[in-house]
């Protein structure tokens, strides 16, 4: 029985050399450095801000249910929003301030079915379109469109009756 399975010429052509492997890794690195900043700077910015807004509105709803008081999310400007308590005082957000400003060149568009640029929640988590009590309940799905400077959009939706908040 011959213990030698391959000849020397067969072993030399069986794989990549270290130089070839380094060359391939170098090309992949150059491509990654040139592509990733363009990719992350556009669609991920609006996606991040939309998901953060969903969480803030859910937090507002949870505050209402937990305390039995009416809290509301309010659009302050096209690039900022706040949470107000029942008396209209801005609460301190987990970030430490009372107004949250959007980053990544993202802006909030015209709100659909939220005429006062706010959504309030009662102690049951039901959404309202006015800050007064008892107020006007949300009649149809509300939309909060968010747009990046690159043209990407995401819409945060609030469902009537249940108050479910999610992305469209």
């Amino acid at each position: 029985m011959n213990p030698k399975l391959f000849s020397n010429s067969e072993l030399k052509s069986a794989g990549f050399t270290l130089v070839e492997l380094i060359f391939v890794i170098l090309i992949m690195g150059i491509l990654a450095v040139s592509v990733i900043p363009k990719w992350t700077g556009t669609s991920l910015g609006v996606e991040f801000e939309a998901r953060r807004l969903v969480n803030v509105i859910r937090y507002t709803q949870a505050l209402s249910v937990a305390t039995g008081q009416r809290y509301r999310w309010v659009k302050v400007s096209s690039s900022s929003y706040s949470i107000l308590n029942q008396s209209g005082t801005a609460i301190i957000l987990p970030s430490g301030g009372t107004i949250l400003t959007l980053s990544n060149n993202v802006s909030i568009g015209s709100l659909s079915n939220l005429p006062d640029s706010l959504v309030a929640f009662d102690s049951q988590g039901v959404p309202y379109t006015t800050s007064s009590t008892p107020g006007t309940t949300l009649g149809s799905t509300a939309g909060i469109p968010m747009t990046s400077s690159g043209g990407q959009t995401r819409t945060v939706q609030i469902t009537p009756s249940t108050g479910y908040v999610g992305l469209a």
Side-chain angles (χ1 to χ4, degrees):
M1 187 184 227
N2 188 359
K4 200 175 195 185
L5 298 175
F6 298 104
S7 68
N8 283 341
S9 63
E10 289 174 331
L11 286 176
K12 287 182 182 179
S13 65
F16 296 106
T17 66
L18 182 60
V19 173
E20 291 170 328
L21 185 62
I22 290 174
F23 186 69
V24 169
I25 291 172
L26 180 67
I27 290 173
M28 289 174 53
I30 291 170
L31 287 173
V33 167
S34 66
V35 171
I36 287 179
K38 293 175 188 170
W39 176 63
T40 59
T42 55
S43 63
L44 288 183
V46 74
E47 183 72 24
F48 167 78
E49 292 297 346
R51 290 188 184 278
R52 184 165 72 158
L53 179 58
V54 165
N55 290 332
V56 168
I57 294 174
R58 287 179 180 167
Y59 175 68
T60 306
Q61 186 179 30
L63 279 173
S64 297
V65 172
T67 63
Q69 297 180 24
R70 190 172 284 213
Y71 283 86
R72 59 188 179 262
W73 172 88
V74 179
K75 175 184 169 184
V76 176
S77 72
S78 65
S79 62
S80 62
Y81 52 87
S82 184
I83 299 174
L84 306 178
N85 64 15
Q86 193 166 336
S87 63
T89 305
I91 67 164
I92 297 176
L93 300 169
S95 62
T98 56
I99 294 178
L100 206 144
T101 303
L102 300 174
S103 58
N104 301 318
N105 297 318
V106 176
S107 62
I108 301 172
S110 297
L111 309 180
S112 63
N113 297 325
L114 297 172
D116 293 338
S117 295
L118 65 89
V119 61
F121 296 97
D122 67 6
S123 62
Q124 302 295 312
V126 176
Y128 289 80
T129 60
T130 56
S131 59
S132 61
T133 303
T136 306
T137 59
L138 182 63
S140 58
T141 302
I144 304 170
M146 304 186 81
T147 307
S148 71
S149 58
Q152 289 81 18
T153 60
R154 289 298 301 219
T155 301
V156 175
Q157 289 186 333
I158 305 167
T159 306
S161 301
T162 63
Y164 174 75
V165 182
L167 291 173

